[in-house]
Amino acid sequence: MRILMIHGRSQGGKIANELKATWTKTLQEGFSACNATWPQTVQVDFPYYADLLDDFAARAGLPSTGDVAAKGPGQNVKYEQFMQSALDELQANAEISDAEVQAQVPDGVPQQKGPQNWWWVQAIARAIDNRLEGVTSVTIETFLKDVFVYVSAPAVAKAVNAIVEKEITTEPTIVIGHSLGSVVAYNVLVKHAPNMALKKFITVGSPLGLRVISSKLGLLSNPAGAGGWYNAYDDRDVVALNPLDDEYFPTTPGIENSRHVRNSTSNRHGIIGYLNDAAVAKQVADALC
């Protein structure tokens, strides 16, 4: 039996084995929390694609919301449309009021609400960042840039997926995907799950419930088969506010969703605050048995 762990964005420049050790140690803490015994024979694999994704994102040269506000739209129309839609959706899902957004609009610039006013679009991003409790290493804009590069550029998705696909075997496997890694995992499993012994698909902190992302994935499906797909999230995690249900990610069979997680990391999105959760760990432990 093996566990295939698929990381999200913002991991560039790190050491893969150290990240793998952190994920494994944290999951073992989750096992302790649910009174499960960690099997000494389980194999853990951790395909690392972060540096490659960072390189693609840097070469894409996507404008910031501030650039578009100052210079005008049309610098990258597809990306600008993606950003407008994503931020509008996130504002609604996070129940961020127009007053909160208005407070982020600089003086002396157009104040009207709407996606055509890029000062307003930028203000939504700033208002969402305020929900991240002062975390400066991650912003919703950088997150969305990386997601856009992956879901909108077939060459990027192919290259990233190939790194994960190298770890696909016929051995019984539990797949855990976090954040953007859940999108990568989904794409890989749609293609390869029929030829795998997939025991469970587990996603945490997943943005797949954002329509601006799921709309780029083609006909939605549940690749997990009999093992099932379990999706856990913290409803304070602005990246993963929506369940993967009939409204936001309709599939047959349906996906089991749990919003119980109280992620202890400062932005409510970190992997440590998901894998040490007893209920999440129990899903892994039960699948291993």
Side-chain angles (χ1 to χ4, degrees), residues 131 234-238 241 261-264 267-268:
R131 295 287 181 92
D234 184 329
D235 55 16
R236 301 167 298 171
D237 179 352
V238 296
L241 289 170
V261 179
R262 307 309 286 172
N263 193 304
S264 61
N267 62 1
R268 312 304 182 191

Side-chain angles (χ1 to χ4, degrees), residues 17 19 24 36 48 52-53 58 70 74 81-82 84 89 99 121 150 158 160 171 175 194 200 242 250 267:
N17 283 340
L19 288 172
T24 303
Y48 179 75
L52 177 67
L53 179 64
Q81 291 173 340
F82 175 87
Q84 288 171 338
E89 191 175 349
V121 175
Y150 174 79
K158 182 178 180 180
V160 169
E171 186 177 351
V175 175
K200 195 79 177 182
N242 293 336
N267 62 1

Side-chain angles (χ1 to χ4, degrees), residues 40 42 115 250 265:
Q40 296 302 311
V42 68
T265 62

Side-chain angles (χ1 to χ4, degrees), residues 7-174:
H7 68 80
R9 63 162 304 280
S10 190
Q11 303 302 308
K14 299 181 180 179
I15 298 173
N17 283 340
E18 292 181 358
L19 288 172
K20 173 182 172 180
T22 297
W23 278 53
T24 303
K25 178 177 180 294
T26 306
L27 183 56
Q28 289 170 339
E29 292 171 359
F31 268 55
S32 295
C34 71
N35 297 313
T37 300
W38 179 262
Q40 296 302 311
T41 58
V42 68
Q43 176 183 338
V44 176
D45 292 309
F46 193 90
Y48 179 75
Y49 62 83
D51 289 341
L52 177 67
L53 179 64
D54 283 357
D55 181 58
F56 277 120
R59 284 191 280 153
L62 300 174
S64 68
T65 55
D67 289 338
V68 182
K71 299 177 183 178
Q75 300 175 59
N76 187 315
V77 174
K78 289 184 178 179
Y79 170 67
E80 292 164 18
Q81 291 173 340
F82 175 87
M83 184 65 77
Q84 288 171 338
S85 298
L87 291 175
D88 188 57
E89 191 175 349
L90 284 166
Q91 181 194 353
N93 293 349
E95 299 181 344
I96 295 173
S97 68
D98 288 348
E100 288 180 77
V101 177
Q102 190 74 49
Q104 301 297 323
V105 180
D107 294 335
V109 301
Q111 301 288 308
Q112 72 271 20
K113 173 186 175 181
Q116 300 308 311
N117 177 7
W118 272 86
W119 293 108
W120 182 269
V121 175
Q122 183 186 40
I124 296 175
R126 289 175 173 172
I128 293 171
D129 287 346
N130 284 344
R131 295 287 181 92
L132 299 180
E133 300 191 4
V135 177
T136 57
S137 61
V138 177
T139 67
I140 196 62
E141 189 169 339
T142 57
F143 174 83
L144 290 173
K145 280 186 176 182
D146 285 353
V147 172
F148 175 80
V149 167
Y150 174 79
V151 300
S152 299
V156 176
K158 182 178 180 180
V160 169
N161 293 353
I163 292 174
V164 177
E165 288 168 341
K166 289 179 180 178
E167 301 294 342
I168 297 297
T169 72
T170 57
E171 186 177 351
T173 301
I174 299 164

Side-chain angles (χ1 to χ4, degrees), residues 209-267:
L210 290 173
R211 292 189 179 93
V212 72
I213 295 174
S214 63
S215 64
K216 295 184 177 296
L217 301 177
L219 181 64
L220 301 179
S221 65
N222 182 342
W229 179 348
Y230 177 81
N231 177 62
Y233 63 103
D234 184 329
D235 55 16
R236 301 167 298 171
D237 179 352
V238 296
V239 170
L241 289 170
N242 293 336
L244 306 185
D245 59 11
D246 287 344
E247 181 178 358
Y248 295 103
F249 202 91
T251 66
T252 302
I255 300 161
E256 181 182 356
N257 288 277
S258 179
R259 59 186 294 178
H260 74 278
V261 179
R262 307 309 286 172
N263 193 304
S264 61
T265 62
S266 56
N267 62 1

